[in-house]
Amino acid sequence: MLVAEATRLNIDLMEANEPDNPALAKYTTVGKLFRGRSHVDPVGARVFLVHTLTTWAHQLQLPGLADFGVTEADIPKIVAHSRGFSMKTNPIVLTDTDIAHLIRVCL
């Protein structure tokens, strides 16, 4: 369930703060592939990518974090322990506030 929301967050932050980040072009390419059209504008392609990931998550009935017992009270602890290997490969540095927002959205 985190993939769609993490992708949305990364795209939103890069569009706002790092518009030249090469990861945006990669997200655009994947969105165009999913859309089946190479002439889709970059923003539209990225919107379609997030839409597709969100649709798949709902179709697959992926559980949210709350389904695993995660609550609002757990967010600070999760944020504090979120700086592992996977964060090193994230295309943009996420603040603790960004991570907390992501977790909150996925509850």
Side-chain angles (χ1 to χ4, degrees), residues 32-91:
K32 287 179 178 183
L33 288 170
F34 284 176
R35 185 76 174 144
R37 296 184 193 164
S38 61
H39 63 277
V40 177
D41 70 279
V43 172
R46 293 190 295 264
V47 167
F48 190 78
L49 167 61
V50 172
H51 170 76
T52 300
L53 295 173
T54 302
T55 299
W56 288 349
H58 290 294
Q59 287 175 340
L60 294 169
Q61 299 178 356
L62 297 178
L65 295 175
D67 295 311
F68 295 101
V70 177
T71 68
E72 181 78 24
D74 297 314
I75 292 175
K77 185 175 181 178
I78 294 169
V79 169
H81 292 90
S82 66
R83 299 292 175 197
F85 180 76
S86 65
M87 285 299 254
K88 292 178 183 174
T89 60
N90 202 59

Side-chain angles (χ1 to χ4, degrees), residues 3 9 26 74 82:
V3 172
L9 178 62
K26 293 177 183 181
D74 297 314
S82 66

Side-chain angles (χ1 to χ4, degrees), residues 1-16:
M1 192 59 162
L2 288 170
V3 172
E5 290 304 324
T7 300
R8 179 192 324 271
L9 178 62
N10 282 329
I11 289 170
D12 288 348
L13 290 172
M14 284 185 286
E15 286 176 343

